[in-house]
């Protein structure tokens, strides 16, 4: 019965449905129609036998927008902005700042001067050993002929120039590898490969780590930071050995007597020797850096230990292989 009454009420209002007053509020019209249809549905779904217990359903009109305060939207936006700011402060993303050195940094004034000085000292200091030998008798010294005491200065000069070219080539090759690492590996890995290791050792020393953990962290960081330099040295030295092999084959006066198989085996042995030496240099440099940073000041100790391990590594490995396996590197 309630449904029939509602339908009759809608029929009476049909005549004034298109009048201007009916469209005074579209929200009221929509709410009325929705309420009427809902009431009809509920009334139709309620059994006649239970209506005397529950009665007829009552429908109330509600406008949800009217209950909201005027500044509700602005407060919501402000709270959302505050939450975003606090969340960004709490969960900051780590930035990896990669600083690439110039490609031809080896030819700058200070590095090139140090390389030149080191190369000349390396090949000219051994020439001073005979004059500093005071254990020989004066009679034996006077009996030596002037030709025997004459020192050849041209050969050390050539070796020094070759060493300068080799070191500058290694540094330039490393700069190329650094740029390739930035392009082809992830930003995090490139940052680890190009990290300033002495500064990283200083930062690690300020975190209060145990000695064993600090030694391991510094050694690992040195291994990563020294990897591109060792790889550049391996590439340059391997290229030199390949050039020497082809030079012996092509420039030999008796080219028919040159055994290519023997030269290939010799080249393989040279490359294996270079690989073992570079690997030993990398490992011992990492261990030496960890020991130096632990026993001495972090920055200076790391640098001294890395340099000492870089020089001593190939010598130690060569000595051990020669004594244990009779292999000459």
């Amino acid at each position: 019965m309630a449904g029939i009454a509602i339908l009759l009420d809608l029929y009476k209002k049909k005549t004034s449905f298109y009048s201007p007053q009916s469209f005074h509020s579209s929200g009221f019209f929509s709410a009325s129609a929705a309420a009427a249809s809902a009431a009809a549905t509920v009334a139709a779904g309620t059994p006649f036998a239970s209506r005397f217990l529950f009665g007829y359903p009552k429908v109330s009109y509600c406008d949800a927008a009217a209950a909201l305060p005027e500044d509700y939207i602005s407060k919501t936006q402000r709270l959302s902005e505050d939450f975003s700011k606090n969340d960004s402060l709490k969960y900051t993303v780590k930035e990896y700042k990669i600083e690439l050195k110039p490609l031809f940094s080896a030819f700058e004034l200070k590095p090139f001067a140090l390389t030149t000085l080191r190369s000349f000292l390396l090949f000219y200091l051994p020439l001073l050993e005979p004059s500093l030998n005071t254990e020989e008798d004066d009679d034996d010294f006077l009996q030596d002929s002037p030709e025997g005491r004459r020192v050849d200065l041209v050969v050390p000069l050539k070796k020094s120039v070759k060493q300068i070219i080799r070191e500058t080539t290694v540094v330039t090759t490393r700069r190329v590898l650094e740029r390739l690492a930035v392009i082809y590996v992830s930003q995090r890995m490139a940052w680890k490969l190009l990290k300033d290791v002495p500064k990283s050792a200083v930062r690690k020393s300020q975190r209060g780590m145990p000695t064993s953990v600090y030694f391991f962290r510094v050694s690992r960081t040195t291994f990563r930071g020294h990897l591109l330099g060792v790889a550049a040295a391996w590439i340059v030295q391997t290229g030199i050995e390949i050039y020497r092999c082809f030079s012996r084959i092509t420039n030999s006066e008796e080219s028919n007597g040159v055994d290519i198989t023997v030269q290939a085996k010799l080249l393989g042995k040279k490359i294996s020797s270079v690989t073992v030496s570079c690997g030993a240099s990398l490992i011992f440099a990492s261990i030496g850096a960890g020991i130096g940073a632990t026993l001495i000041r972090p920055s200076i100790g790391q640098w001294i230990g890395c340099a000492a391990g870089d020089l001593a590594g190939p010598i130690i490995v060569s000595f051990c292989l020669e004594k244990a396996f009779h292999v000459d590197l």
Side-chain angles (χ1 to χ4, degrees), residues 36 101 212 284 303:
K101 295 182 179 179
S212 59
F284 278 85
W303 183 81

Side-chain angles (χ1 to χ4, degrees), residues 110-131:
K110 184 178 179 180
F112 189 76
L114 291 176
T115 302
T116 304
L117 179 62
R118 183 169 58 249
S119 300
F120 278 104
L121 290 178
L122 180 63
F123 292 102
Y124 277 98
L125 280 180
L127 300 179
L128 301 177
E129 292 180 357
S131 61

Side-chain angles (χ1 to χ4, degrees), residues 61-80:
Y61 300 95
C62 176
D63 190 1
L68 297 176
E70 295 180 356
D71 57 345
Y72 176 78
I73 298 176
S74 61
K75 286 183 178 180
T76 304
Q77 293 177 351
R78 186 164 56 253
L79 290 174
S80 177

